[in-house]
Amino acid sequence: MTTKQHILSFLFILLTLTAVDIKIFAQVKVGSNPTTIGTASNLEIEAANGNKTIINKTTGQMTVQDGTQGAGKVFTSDAAGGASWVAPTAPAAANTFPFAAVLSNTRQQFATSASGNTQFELKSDGESFDPTNSYVPTTGRFTATTAGYYLFSGAAQFDNTAMAGTPGFTAVVMTLRKNFGLASVATLAQYAANPGGSTINSGSLSTIVYLNAGDYVSLTTGAQVNSGSIYQVISLSFYGYKFAN
């Protein structure tokens, strides 16, 4: 065959190949039983005990069959990175540490201040509920024994109707405070009003806060009046509970 004939034959073969739709399917098997692979698999890795990791050639989905698989399980790892299927578990429930303190009709008396900026902690006569003794009525403080998220709510009635001269309120402020009296004190929630000289005013407030163990929360008030230097507070309620870690 001449050189020209060789060239023509090569060109004919090349044109024939380019005219054919060539599809190549490759399957890879690693590990045990290397000559056996599922028809739907692109890749299979098989251990000596028959456990497999499979990649589906149509969907790309990975299937891990390591003996721990099962319906409803989740794939996770241990501290060393060893992965396996485990049944999901609910998070540990938080200890609630609920309490409720009520002042009833006892009046507390405090010094007034400009715009009610000077705050005083409210105490209570007792408690209606406090199974963990986290609240101390004589200090008015609830102390967190464990860290977590807490809800607090408080209400107070500023009431000078029983005072001599019945001084009227020109400013009232009530707050929920964390670590009152310490450098780390923080105002968590605040109620403020200008009663316009009224001798009585009521307010309430609530908040959600994250506390570290040992943090405490108290309900505080301050007031300004149009005569005299004293104001009174009654009808206090203060309650709360931990709801999450």
Side-chain angles (χ1 to χ4, degrees):
M1 183 178 291
T2 65
T3 301
K4 183 177 181 180
Q5 289 174 321
H6 278 295
I7 294 174
L8 290 174
S9 297
F10 174 76
L11 290 175
F12 175 77
I13 294 171
L14 181 62
L15 289 172
T16 301
L17 290 175
T18 56
V20 176
D21 182 15
I22 301 176
K23 296 182 180 178
I24 300 175
F25 295 94
Q27 291 179 295
V28 178
K29 180 66 178 286
V30 179
S32 298
N33 301 314
T35 60
T36 303
I37 187 170
T39 57
S41 302
N42 263 349
L43 170 66
E44 285 188 8
I45 302 173
E46 184 173 346
N49 62 1
N51 292 339
K52 296 178 183 178
T53 298
I54 303 168
I55 304 297
N56 185 281
K57 68 181 181 182
T58 301
T59 65
Q61 181 181 18
M62 182 176 72
T63 301
V64 178
Q65 300 172 342
D66 67 345
T68 64
Q69 71 272 13
K73 291 187 174 182
V74 295
F75 198 60
T76 186
S77 69
D78 58 22
S84 62
W85 295 98
V86 298
T89 57
N95 294 320
T96 56
F97 303 109
F99 78 98
V102 180
L103 181 62
S104 67
N105 292 321
T106 300
R107 291 174 178 267
Q108 294 185 69
Q109 187 166 285
F110 302 106
T112 62
S113 60
S115 301
N117 289 332
T118 301
Q119 294 284 298
F120 299 91
E121 288 178 292
L122 294 178
K123 316 302 191 296
S124 67
D125 289 343
E127 305 168 89
S128 60
F129 190 73
D130 183 13
T132 58
N133 295 317
S134 298
Y135 177 78
V136 179
T138 55
T139 64
R141 296 176 177 179
F142 173 90
T143 301
T145 56
T146 63
Y149 290 92
Y150 290 77
L151 180 146
F152 293 96
S153 182
Q157 180 170 290
F158 298 83
D159 191 338
N160 285 344
T161 57
M163 293 184 63
T166 57
F169 291 100
T170 56
V172 295
V173 179
M174 177 171 51
T175 69
L176 285 167
R177 293 201 175 187
K178 180 180 73 173
N179 299 336
F180 183 84
L182 300 181
S184 59
V185 61
T187 298
L188 307 177
Q190 177 174 290
Y191 164 84
N194 181 351
S198 173
T199 58
I200 191 168
N201 181 269
S202 298
S204 62
L205 71 175
S206 61
T207 190
I208 291 173
V209 61
Y210 182 87
L211 299 178
N212 293 311
D215 286 340
Y216 58 87
V217 174
S218 50
L219 185 65
T220 70
T221 66
Q224 177 178 311
V225 295
N226 54 18
S227 64
S229 59
I230 299 295
Y231 73 94
Q232 292 184 341
V233 181
I234 63 171
S235 302
L236 166 72
S237 68
F238 182 35
Y239 65 88
Y241 58 90
K242 178 182 178 182
F243 64 90
N245 290 322

